[in-house]
Amino acid sequence: MKTNLTLVLILLFSFYLAKASAQNSIQSFNVKPENSAAVNKVNLQKAIDWASESGAALFVEPSDEPYYIDGGIVLKKNVSLIGVHGPTHRGTVHQTKKQPVGSVFAITDKENAFITVETATQIKGIQFWYPEQTLKDPSAIIPYKATIKVSQTSR
């Protein structure tokens, strides 16, 4: 009897965690790999604004295509962006394309820092990929702004 009750409680808790993760996925805010970088920027900022009110984490669902997102994002106080990756010394690799897979933000914005972080934030398990950057021709290197910038106004 105790075993059955324990099993039921574990299943209910697992279902609750799965449902909570789905509700806090950036995809539930319409941040999708197939969207334009401009649309994803607006939608990701809306998700962050929502999460800031209650101190929530936003899950970056893994995908075989990266999320293209324009720079200028502000990760507000009390928000975490959480992906699936642990340390990957060389990143992940798509099976047929020269690109990473998983929780990947593709950055092409040359004018803005990608993300400015306020106090009490966390970014974990996310790869940042610059698809237009060269690795072979030093004279063609693109001088992007910072990937992660610390807010100069938040305390």
Side-chain angles (χ1 to χ4, degrees):
M1 182 71 169
K2 276 188 169 184
T3 305
N4 289 343
L5 180 60
T6 304
L7 191 56
V8 167
L9 289 174
I10 289 171
L11 287 172
L12 285 173
F13 184 68
S14 299
F15 176 75
Y16 170 77
L17 285 178
K19 187 176 178 188
S21 293
Q23 289 175 344
N24 292 338
S25 165
I26 63 172
Q27 289 197 9
S28 67
F29 291 89
N30 203 31
V31 178
K32 309 256 176 150
E34 61 269 16
N35 289 350
S36 71
V39 166
N40 276 342
K41 174 190 176 182
V42 169
N43 292 341
L44 181 58
Q45 192 62 62
K46 286 179 185 177
I48 290 168
D49 294 346
W50 169 84
S52 180
E53 294 174 13
S54 61
L58 295 170
F59 180 60
V60 181
E61 286 188 52
S63 171
D64 65 342
E65 293 293 327
Y67 297 88
Y68 280 81
I69 301 179
D70 280 342
I73 299 290
V74 177
L75 188 60
K76 294 185 176 179
K77 184 188 292 187
N78 303 323
V79 180
S80 296
L81 282 176
I82 308 294
V84 296
H85 299 290
T88 53
H89 71 286
R90 291 255 196 216
T92 58
V93 180
H94 192 281
Q95 289 185 355
T96 60
K97 301 177 185 177
K98 290 189 174 192
Q99 69 183 41
V101 295
S103 299
V104 181
F105 289 148
I107 304 167
T108 57
D109 187 339
K110 298 168 186 78
E111 305 300 317
N112 301 295
F114 176 67
I115 192 163
T116 300
V117 295
E118 293 185 347
T119 186
T121 60
Q122 175 182 204
I123 299 174
K124 179 171 134 181
I126 297 171
Q127 291 184 73
F128 301 98
W129 179 50
Y130 292 85
E132 297 173 354
Q133 189 62 279
T134 179
L135 298 174
K136 299 184 188 225
D137 182 3
S139 66
I141 290 176
I142 301 168
Y144 287 99
K145 304 294 183 193
T147 303
I148 302 172
K149 177 181 169 185
V150 176
S151 173
Q152 301 301 305
T153 58
S154 112
R155 304 256 183 247

